[in-house]
Amino acid sequence: MKEKASELLDVLRGIRQRLGKVPQELIPQVARQLGIPEAQVHSSATFYPELSDKGPSRDAFERGLEQRFRVLSPADPVVWNGAPDFPGQTRRVLARCGVLDPMDFNAFRAAGAYEGLRIARKKKPEEVIAQLEASGLRGRGGAGFSTARKWQTARTTPADQRFVICNAAEGDLGAWMDRALLEGDPHLVFEGLAIAAYAIGSSKAFLYLRSEYSHLIPRLETVLKLVHGSGVLGGLRIEIFLAAGAYVCGEETALLNSMEGSAGHPRMRPPFPAQAGLWGMPTVVNNVKTLAHVPLVLRNGSEWFSSIGTRSSKGTAILCLGGDVVQPGVIEVPMGTPLIDVITNFGKGVRGGKGIKAVQTGGPLGALIPGDRLDVPVSFEGFATAGSPLGSGGLIVISEERCMVAVAREFGSFAREESCGNCAPCRLGTARVEEVLWAISRGKAVSEDLEILDSLGEMLKSASFCAFGQSAPSVALAALRYFRAEFESHIHAKTCASGVCSFEGEEK
Ligand code: SF4
């Protein structure tokens, strides 16, 4: 009966689509139908933006952010149709994207699709994991954890059942490379899922899809039908689970809660999902890009995979270049490529020939690399040394014309908007950070507010329950560290050198 709870989001989505809301009086009926407590139904119906009344305002907020930062919106057209070609890339994972039609199963087979799975099945599962370990593949979703070690934990944890989940809850502002892969080469992702399932001993896999990507479902379902029908996956079934609009569900334990029909609050760790994940069973949750690398390792070998990259970051990085560049897009380059080369060679520099003030990396909870440090290599360790994570590969280039107080405020608003609200330090701390940033941007702050920002950052880092809250003020704090003079001129001189901030207007 507990698996029935997985249907909760779909049931509530259906009600909302029919009635425009989820009426309170239907909650007992839904609870009975799924055999779960009414409180659980109520909690989910009010938690997820797509199911609750806050959906429209949250959507408007996010679309506004996307426009102001000049990044693609999920509603924008199919990526590979008319996407700019970037000569000089090292397209390994993206090799077939935009070249073959995913509906043409035979063409993909002829181009090597599912060959990695065939090779994997000739090996023992532990040999597959050993090959991944030798390749040095690290997760591409943000944490950069060893893929092989995650699989090994799931494989060796005693259980009757195991699960594999592809995390496509891609919610970072300006990051749409997972969507690009799912549109351009879903076969590579499904093949990676199948190899993971074989390696850990699972017969059930899921694609956890961001709700804003629901328009991909008809195509993905058609591809899955082709793949299942071909028998290439053996007994493995892959299902699509559509999320319901909460950014925090990109965090793997929040994702698991949402799949179990609960509000998407992160869980305490340990146990880690590879030990006790979906329904308490060992579960591998891997990002889209991570899984897409796996068949290439099996097909071409560990040495081939690690023949490019750096000592700690092997292979290629798939990046989503956006913001104030002339030519935004998804590109694939060897790990270790200088960031400035990515911006100038592929992005063609900044619009209007302007200079670069900073690059925002690692998603909305990431940080900033200032314009005088752009020689940093694109790698996990390179970005970490520069004080800003690589994350899932989103890069928002910020031109010299932008106001960094306004940039910090936008990211502060995002953190407040997307906090799941489950713990007080994050719920209250993100709201207070946003409030201070608004005050600074309107010339209503005092010097002490900068100290307050710093101490709020420390409090969030040390007292928040999960990585979201711990990282929530990172962009604002990085802006303050690198561009303090701008903050001070807003406070003391009531001026914004970029002419972006207005010092009049209503209180927020
Ligand atoms: S830190 Fe934020 S996102 Fe994480 S549990 Fe607390 S309120 Fe939720």
Side-chain angles (χ1 to χ4, degrees):
M1 196 65 179
K2 65 183 182 185
E3 277 80 2
K4 289 287 284 178
S6 286
E7 298 170 20
L8 178 61
L9 300 194
D10 271 347
V11 170
L12 294 176
R13 187 180 287 116
I15 293 172
R16 183 160 177 88
Q17 280 166 359
R18 278 199 313 280
L19 305 178
K21 62 176 184 174
V22 179
Q24 283 291 318
E25 54 271 27
L26 286 187
I27 284 179
Q29 185 184 325
V30 173
R32 271 196 308 280
Q33 180 188 334
L34 299 179
I36 57 178
E38 287 181 28
Q40 185 177 345
V41 179
H42 176 79
S43 165
S44 288
T46 51
F47 175 82
Y48 293 99
E50 201 199 327
L51 307 175
S52 68
D53 294 338
K54 64 187 170 193
S57 66
R58 186 251 192 192
D59 285 351
F61 167 76
E62 297 225 327
R63 299 300 88 83
L65 265 187
E66 286 153 3
Q67 282 171 9
R68 289 193 290 282
F69 281 100
R70 295 198 180 110
V71 296
L72 194 84
S73 162
D76 288 336
V78 176
V79 173
W80 295 114
N81 287 354
D85 188 21
F86 293 100
Q89 292 183 75
T90 303
R91 283 176 60 141
R92 286 178 160 188
V93 173
L94 301 181
R96 300 185 299 221
C97 290
V99 178
L100 299 176
D101 177 2
M103 300 298 172
D104 191 343
F105 185 62
N106 291 334
F108 266 82
R109 288 304 304 270
Y114 303 99
E115 180 63 11
L117 176 60
R118 189 187 65 77
I119 293 169
R121 287 216 182 102
K122 287 191 166 176
K123 298 172 185 271
K124 292 180 183 158
E126 51 270 31
E127 290 172 342
V128 173
I129 295 175
Q131 184 164 8
L132 270 197
E133 177 79 44
S135 75
L137 177 63
R138 295 171 63 178
R140 265 36 179 188
F145 190 72
S146 159
T147 305
R149 265 174 260 163
K150 194 183 264 193
W151 290 17
Q152 178 70 2
T153 302
R155 173 166 181 75
T156 54
T157 300
D160 298 334
Q161 201 176 9
R162 295 179 178 79
F163 298 106
V164 186
I165 299 170
C166 174
N167 184 350
E170 183 176 53
D172 285 356
L173 181 69
W176 39 275
M177 46 286 205
D178 293 353
R179 173 187 163 192
L181 256 170
L182 288 170
E183 292 191 6
D185 194 349
H187 294 287
L188 197 59
V189 181
F190 295 147
E191 186 181 359
L193 265 176
I195 295 171
Y198 174 73
I200 71 161
S202 165
S203 59
K204 192 79 182 274
F206 298 91
L207 173 68
Y208 184 94
L209 191 68
R210 182 185 183 190
S211 66
E212 288 90 338
Y213 293 171
S214 61
H215 60 285
L216 302 185
I217 288 182
R219 275 171 69 84
L220 290 172
E221 292 282 17
T222 305
V223 171
L224 271 179
K225 206 169 166 189
L226 286 170
V227 179
H228 282 137
S230 74
V232 74
L233 297 183
L236 177 71
R237 298 301 299 177
I238 299 176
E239 284 180 20
I240 298 173
F241 185 98
L242 185 61
Y247 173 82
V248 75
C249 287
E251 194 279 333
E252 58 185 3
T253 62
L255 175 155
L256 293 170
N257 272 344
S258 76
M259 288 186 71
E260 293 181 6
S262 296
H265 298 303
R267 297 176 181 173
M268 181 73 83
R269 298 195 285 185
F272 294 94
Q275 300 165 306
L278 191 63
W279 307 116
M281 298 296 163
T283 303
V284 161
V285 184
N286 278 146
N287 169 264
V288 172
K289 296 178 289 299
T290 311
L291 289 168
H293 276 87
V294 169
L296 305 184
V297 174
L298 268 294
R299 193 157 19 114
N300 302 299
S302 304
E303 284 184 15
W304 170 86
F305 176 79
S306 58
S307 63
I308 58 174
T310 67
R311 199 164 64 82
S312 303
S313 305
K314 303 297 185 191
T316 58
I318 301 172
L319 305 169
C320 192
L321 187 58
D324 297 325
V325 285
V326 173
Q327 186 166 272
V330 170
I331 53 172
E332 184 173 7
V333 294
M335 286 280 195
T337 303
L339 177 57
I340 187 66
D341 288 357
V342 172
I343 297 169
T344 52
N345 297 348
F346 299 107
K348 306 297 177 203
V350 171
R351 292 169 177 224
K354 301 294 179 189
I356 300 169
K357 198 176 248 186
V359 181
Q360 199 281 318
T361 80
L365 310 178
L368 297 166
I369 296 177
D372 59 1
R373 294 207 57 189
L374 300 181
D375 54 346
V376 62
V378 173
S379 64
F380 293 111
E381 69 278 15
F383 275 32
T385 305
S388 193
L390 179 57
S392 70
L395 303 172
I396 299 179
V397 175
I398 297 169
S399 107
E400 63 184 347
E401 290 186 307
R402 288 194 186 256
C403 166
M404 293 311 291
V405 173
V407 168
R409 192 195 64 213
E410 299 272 23
F411 282 91
S413 296
F414 183 93
R416 190 265 311 142
E417 179 78 21
E418 294 292 352
S419 164
C420 85
N422 206 31
C423 69
C426 175
R427 184 178 65 248
L428 303 176
T430 52
R432 184 75 181 110
V433 166
E434 184 196 28
E435 192 177 74
V436 172
L437 290 168
W438 268 103
I440 297 171
S441 73
R442 292 192 168 172
K444 294 179 186 295
V446 293
S447 299
E448 288 72 31
D449 283 321
L450 297 184
E451 288 160 35
I452 289 174
L453 259 190
D454 272 330
S455 52
L456 279 168
E458 285 306 314
M459 182 278 291
L460 277 157
K461 259 186 228 165
S462 60
S464 294
F465 179 80
C466 80
F468 180 103
Q470 290 153 15
S471 307
S474 298
V475 176
L477 293 180
L480 180 57
R481 186 181 326 129
Y482 298 125
F483 305 99
R484 193 176 184 95
E486 289 191 38
F487 284 72
E488 287 174 341
S489 76
H490 282 68
I491 292 172
H492 302 304
K494 316 286 182 213
T495 57
C496 171
S498 305
V500 171
C501 297
S502 163
F503 294 94
E504 295 162 357
E506 298 167 9
E507 287 285 355
K508 187 179 183 304

